[in-house]
Amino acid sequence: MALDGKVVLVVGVGGGLGSAVVSLLAAEGATVVGVARGNSTLDRLASHARERGWKFTGATADVGEQRDVDRVVAGVLREHGRIDAASINVGHWHGGEGLLHRMSDEEWEAGVRRNLDPVFRVARAAIPSMVEHGAGSVVFVSAALAVRWGGSAAYCAAKGGLADLVPKLARDYRPWGVRFNAVLPGSMGNEVALDPPAADHAIPLTDETATSPWEVARAIRYFVSDESRWVTGTVVTVDGGASTWGAAPKGP
């Protein structure tokens, strides 16, 4: 996947998707800086990375605060000189009131603040370095249609807004070689092992299990890598077809 030497910022590192993205990219030679609100997952990843010889460092930040985001990005640029790619995995599923006319201001603002605002803040801080170097890849994590429709109107609007923002930014930053794409996961599990599993066989496209964070991480890896160097403005749903509402196979 041509990841050797790439400096990748992974924002939103928890026990599930964020850890999977860090592990997959670092295992394939990328220099990864992971960002989380607290140290627990970052410390576990750092210890594992040392055992495996991966290039990983962690940084704590509240990505809802521009000062924190700017501090982290400045640190990456000081240490590595550039950011080749950013995978922005932040967001919180919001259920709550399903009908818009009953929704409070607080519920609406929380859905947008937690799912849209941090992406804006991280992208705004990371893009200038990519523009300066004439290349870069930014990957948003939105949500599959079935997941968006299952949440509140605020959640659906915020995650849908990310998907619609991708082609806009792809057009705006095309002259500088900066690419924007998004991955739309189905409902995912929250914990993963720290070594990437082999993808060496087909799996049934059933609705019986949650989407594996590893399947979503593989799509992010593609967008980060030079394999997708001619791909921008694209959204890819990774939910085993759940959002098609087609009949699931019964399995082997």
Side-chain angles (χ1 to χ4, degrees), residues 15 27 56 66 83 161 166 174 199 216 220 238 249:
F56 171 77
Q66 193 68 53
I83 297 172
V166 161
R174 189 182 183 206
V216 182
I220 293 173
V238 185

Side-chain angles (χ1 to χ4, degrees), residues 56-68:
F56 171 77
T57 55
T60 57
D62 178 355
V63 294
E65 296 291 335
Q66 193 68 53
R67 289 176 301 176
D68 272 18

Side-chain angles (χ1 to χ4, degrees), residues 162-223:
L162 283 180
D164 197 43
L165 187 59
V166 161
K168 161 68 173 167
L169 296 182
R171 184 189 67 176
D172 289 351
Y173 288 93
R174 189 182 183 206
W176 293 281
V178 182
R179 301 183 293 112
F180 291 83
N181 296 285
V183 178
L184 282 58
S187 296
M188 288 184 290
N190 293 323
E191 295 294 330
V192 296
L194 295 185
D195 285 315
D200 54 3
H201 59 85
I203 55 176
L205 300 175
T206 71
D207 299 329
E208 297 172 1
T209 58
T211 297
S212 167
W214 293 110
E215 304 306 322
V216 182
R218 290 187 182 102
I220 293 173
R221 174 186 60 182
Y222 170 70
F223 285 135

Side-chain angles (χ1 to χ4, degrees), residues 8-143:
V8 185
L9 181 66
V10 179
V11 180
V13 178
L17 178 60
S19 290
V21 173
V22 166
S23 296
L24 195 60
L25 300 183
E28 297 194 10
T31 297
V32 182
V33 178
V35 182
R37 185 182 289 270
N39 281 311
S40 59
T41 301
L42 296 176
D43 290 345
R44 188 165 64 102
L45 278 167
S47 175
H48 192 75
R50 286 192 294 270
E51 293 176 3
R52 295 292 185 266
W54 298 345
K55 300 171 186 175
F56 171 77
T57 55
T60 57
D62 178 355
V63 294
E65 296 291 335
Q66 193 68 53
R67 289 176 301 176
D68 272 18
V69 173
D70 291 344
R71 170 181 53 80
V72 168
V73 169
V76 176
L77 295 177
R78 233 181 1 256
E79 178 72 20
H80 303 288
R82 69 187 193 281
I83 297 172
D84 296 306
S87 176
I88 308 175
N89 315 320
V90 295
H92 295 270
W93 191 83
H94 272 254
E97 177 54 61
L99 294 175
L100 183 68
H101 75 281
R102 294 176 180 168
M103 184 170 290
S104 67
D105 288 352
E106 291 75 18
E107 287 174 309
W108 177 265
E109 290 165 2
V112 173
R113 184 178 66 252
R114 295 183 179 183
N115 292 286
L116 199 53
D117 288 356
V119 177
F120 160 65
R121 299 189 187 287
V122 174
R124 180 168 64 176
I127 287 170
S129 171
M130 299 179 184
V131 167
E132 180 181 349
H133 286 87
S137 174
V138 181
V139 186
F140 298 156
V141 176
S142 176

